[in-house]
Amino acid sequence: MGHRRTVAALATACCLTGAVLSAAAAPAAAAPKDVTLTVLGTSDVHGHALDWDYYKDKPYSDAAGNSVGLAQVSTVVDQVRRENPNTLLVDDGDVIQGTPLDSYYATVEPITKTGATHPMAAAMNQMGYVAGAVGNHEFNYGVDYLGAYRKQLNFPLLAANVTDHRTGAPAFEPYVIRTVKPAHGGKPVHVGFLGLTTPGSAIWDKPRVADRLDFTGVLESAKHWVPRVRAAGADVVVVLAHSGIETSSSYGDALPWPENDMRQVAEQVPGIDAILSGHTHLNNPEVDVTNKQTGRTVVISQPGLWGERVSRFDLKLKLVRGHYQVADASSSLLNPASAAPDPKVVAATRTQHTTTVSYVNSVIGQSTADMPAGPCRWSDCAALDFINQVQTETVRRALTGDDANLPVLSAAAPFNRDGGITAGDVTVRDIAGIYEFDNTLLGIRLTGAQVKAYLEKSAEYFKQVSGTGPYPADDVTNAPTTDSPNGTPDYLYDVLSGVTYDIDIAKAPGSRIENLSYDGKPITDDQQFVLAINNYRQSGGGNFPGVTTAPVVYDQQVAIRESLIDWVQQAGTIDPAQFSADDWKLVANGQPVQITG
């Protein structure tokens, strides 16, 4: 349901700018000078140009009947434009990381070397976006790569809370004002879009942004910039914020600013009409928040991820003493699943899509057995053992001095429960399916006490149970579901190799790790280890204890997925019998827990 601003509420809003509208002056019906402005927004598209699953090598499908990709989004956008010519299309960030289409043109044939147009830039330019926010994953391939992509866009990337480390000047345009000429004629509408991005990139991509970019909080930046957008002549202010609605952080107190903070922005910063939220991948059709200073309602919407939904804001504007005022605002989510792909977007990305499909289906080796990723969430599995094996070998080979004498452990998460490797040919697609993020590998030094604390944090992924089951997996894990979207994602659950341990989920979080041993002996608190870990986790992602301050003993910027591909190509064969081991298990009061899957 969209909220409805009454005439009295409109009069209050007008008074803030020195104009008063009486109830008697309000027309009973829409006057010709009234305008309905529609803003359409995507977020967290993550490299989905077309409705295609590169990991399964077929069109995308899920149990909910969703589609993905900008091609079908484009058709929906065109439908809305025909309905209301006063329509603007914007994006909320996380575009150039997430699928093999993205990674291919960042690592195999990088646009910084070839000069080719990024496929996502080609798609978005075709669709006529007018502004976009910078997402945290935009920094994954480095500032220079982002700069090359940015130059290819026909619209600005906005981020008011990112500054150049050397000069202190804005590193991106903070805002842009777009002029809409009403279809029926009359006074043009000036729409201001302010961009904000979650400050977590300062730690998640620290090696790439340190000494080049500085980040500040979204709330602080909104307070600074919204008045300036208004002063620059904006009739309407829409915030494009790559930050979730409810205040939270995955990195704890590692930064002084929350990762997600849009409710506070809406409550505390006057002058905002609507917020396109993102980053948390949730479907929020409409969240109405009352600004504490003005009493006006700010409407927030978030369109999930991958182009599965599009946020639609409808803003009804009245011309009051020469200035437009938002008299009514509502938002909803559009579902492109039934729309046909836009042939123009398909054509703009076809060649690069075909190249990517060919690459991910190239055979790089063989596997002697199936290694599905689904069971990795509740049982020790060969797929994660393989990842940990490669990470351990890579770090161990590079250690020098006293560190070379320390035991090397490794941490890996079940990123993609639908991924896996089957017996027979192994393709790039198979590896990308079990390791879908563009992380790099580090080695850090931890004590035995810190290793245990790390595992206790990871074990928060599980619900507390009273017996040994059998249980369906969703009754044991805290992973997000449709009914409970705010759980612990699979990628925040790590398993460790090199040690053995039990996770007793009959006990409360914080006291679940038992029988923690190395080489058959209980680990002591002061024992020293090297942990092979990805850059996202080491930089604070998931707020695991001890890792951000632990000494770094290895960091050669090796891409983990690429090292997995190289390992298979060199070995020729993956044989789980050579590395698979039962390092850990779920128990309840010491007895094995049964999971039905």
Side-chain angles (χ1 to χ4, degrees):
M1 294 292 291
H3 86 275
R4 293 291 179 263
R5 293 193 176 105
T6 63
V7 172
L10 177 61
T12 301
C14 292
C15 290
L16 295 175
T17 59
V20 179
L21 176 69
S22 67
K33 61 187 177 183
D34 296 342
V35 176
T36 296
L37 172 72
T38 297
V39 176
L40 300 179
T42 54
S43 187
D44 297 272
V45 175
H46 285 288
H48 291 84
L50 305 178
D51 188 33
W52 191 261
D53 188 330
Y54 291 94
Y55 304 124
K56 295 181 179 179
D57 195 28
K58 61 182 182 181
Y60 180 84
S61 65
D62 63 16
N66 291 310
S67 66
V68 298
L70 292 181
Q72 285 170 248
V73 167
S74 183
T75 299
V76 171
V77 170
D78 285 344
Q79 291 171 348
V80 175
R81 285 171 172 157
R82 288 192 293 270
E83 171 191 327
N84 180 13
N86 307 320
T87 295
L88 298 175
L89 175 62
V90 294
D91 181 73
D92 211 30
D94 275 7
V95 174
I96 59 172
Q97 180 279 332
T99 66
L101 181 68
D102 275 335
S103 61
Y104 184 86
Y105 289 98
T107 62
V108 183
E109 292 188 19
I111 61 171
T112 46
K113 292 184 178 179
T114 66
T117 300
H118 195 288
M120 298 308 293
M124 299 178 86
N125 288 342
Q126 178 64 55
M127 294 170 65
Y129 280 82
V130 301
V134 178
N136 58 289
H137 282 288
E138 259 68 79
F139 299 102
N140 285 174
Y141 300 115
V143 177
D144 293 337
Y145 185 86
L146 174 55
Y149 164 73
R150 178 184 176 189
K151 290 178 181 178
Q152 295 177 348
L153 298 173
N154 293 341
F155 57 90
L157 288 184
L158 310 175
N161 60 320
V162 185
T163 55
D164 184 283
H165 177 75
R166 183 177 57 87
T167 66
F172 301 86
E173 292 180 63
Y175 68 91
V176 66
I177 296 179
R178 296 303 191 195
T179 300
V180 175
K181 296 180 179 179
H184 59 65
K187 183 180 176 63
V189 181
H190 302 292
V191 185
F193 293 103
L194 174 69
L196 299 168
T197 189
T198 180
S201 295
I203 54 176
W204 300 325
D205 275 309
K206 184 177 180 180
R208 300 175 180 88
V209 301
D211 298 326
R212 299 195 66 176
L213 300 176
D214 294 326
F215 297 77
T216 55
V218 293
L219 176 61
E220 292 77 5
S221 294
K223 287 180 177 179
H224 176 82
W225 284 104
V226 169
R228 286 161 173 77
V229 180
R230 287 286 182 186
D235 300 302
V236 178
V237 173
V238 179
V239 173
L240 310 181
H242 194 79
S243 178
I245 297 174
E246 305 302 334
T247 304
S248 64
S249 295
S250 67
Y251 44 74
D253 58 1
L255 288 176
W257 313 289
E259 176 180 352
N260 304 298
D261 208 21
M262 283 305 102
R263 182 178 291 275
Q264 281 203 89
V265 169
E267 288 178 341
Q268 297 185 29
V269 183
I272 298 172
D273 295 298
I275 298 175
L276 177 65
S277 180
H279 183 57
T280 53
H281 293 188
L282 299 178
N283 287 325
N284 298 113
E286 178 174 296
V287 177
D288 290 336
V289 179
T290 302
N291 184 271
K292 293 180 178 179
Q293 181 173 331
T294 66
R296 296 186 63 186
T297 300
V298 180
V299 60
I300 308 176
S301 182
Q302 182 176 188
L305 76 169
W306 300 356
E308 289 183 355
R309 299 291 184 273
V310 179
S311 285
R312 173 174 179 161
F313 297 90
D314 289 304
L315 308 173
K316 296 184 178 180
L317 312 180
K318 289 186 178 295
L319 194 58
V320 181
R321 298 192 178 185
H323 297 281
Y324 283 107
Q325 299 283 344
V326 177
D328 181 276
S330 63
S331 64
S332 59
L333 293 181
L334 306 180
N335 187 346
S338 61
D342 183 340
K344 297 187 296 297
V345 175
V346 174
T349 58
R350 180 183 289 115
T351 299
Q352 289 163 308
H353 166 73
T354 301
T355 299
T356 303
V357 169
S358 177
Y359 170 71
V360 299
N361 284 294
S362 60
V363 176
I364 57 175
Q366 304 288 314
S367 178
T368 62
D370 292 343
M371 297 193 299
C376 298
R377 295 174 292 146
W378 64 81
S379 63
D380 202 337
C381 72
L384 290 192
D385 287 340
F386 167 59
I387 295 170
N388 278 328
Q389 171 82 3
V390 176
Q391 292 184 166
T392 299
E393 291 178 1
T394 303
V395 172
R396 182 181 286 135
R397 282 195 303 266
L399 293 178
T400 60
D402 292 340
D403 293 320
N405 299 318
L406 296 178
V408 179
L409 315 180
S410 180
F415 290 141
N416 179 10
R417 63 179 67 179
D418 295 324
I421 294 173
T422 57
D425 289 345
V426 177
T427 65
V428 171
R429 172 166 53 89
D430 297 324
I431 303 301
I434 62 171
Y435 208 100
E436 59 183 4
F437 291 104
D438 295 295
N439 294 328
T440 59
L441 183 63
L442 293 93
I444 59 175
R445 193 186 310 124
L446 295 179
T447 66
Q450 289 174 316
V451 170
K452 186 175 187 298
Y454 189 103
L455 287 169
E456 289 287 6
K457 174 64 177 177
S458 185
E460 293 177 2
Y461 175 73
F462 296 103
K463 298 175 183 177
Q464 190 169 2
V465 301
S466 58
T468 59
Y471 300 104
D474 286 346
D475 289 351
V476 172
T477 76
N478 281 314
T481 64
T482 301
D483 295 330
S484 180
N486 297 319
T488 302
D490 297 343
Y491 64 81
L492 292 185
Y493 169 59
D494 278 358
V495 301
L496 264 59
S497 69
V499 291
T500 58
Y501 57 97
D502 296 338
I503 305 175
D504 196 325
I505 56 175
K507 297 183 177 180
S511 58
R512 290 176 162 175
I513 302 303
E514 297 183 341
N515 303 319
L516 178 59
S517 301
Y518 171 75
D519 199 21
K521 299 176 182 179
I523 285 178
T524 61
D525 285 351
D526 59 354
Q527 199 166 352
Q528 296 284 309
F529 298 90
V530 171
L531 178 65
I533 189 172
N534 70 56
N535 66 294
Y536 173 78
R537 189 72 79 241
Q538 184 272 338
S539 62
N543 196 29
F544 279 64
V547 298
T548 59
T549 56
V552 175
V553 299
Y554 169 82
D555 183 8
Q556 295 183 4
Q557 293 293 295
V558 171
I560 295 174
R561 184 173 56 235
E562 297 307 311
S563 68
L564 296 173
I565 293 171
D566 291 344
W567 190 97
V568 176
Q569 289 176 322
Q570 293 173 15
T573 300
I574 304 175
D575 183 1
Q578 296 179 357
F579 55 79
S580 183
D582 292 327
D583 294 321
W584 64 275
K585 61 180 181 294
L586 290 184
V587 300
N589 297 314
Q591 299 301 310
V593 173
Q594 300 178 56
I595 309 294
T596 58

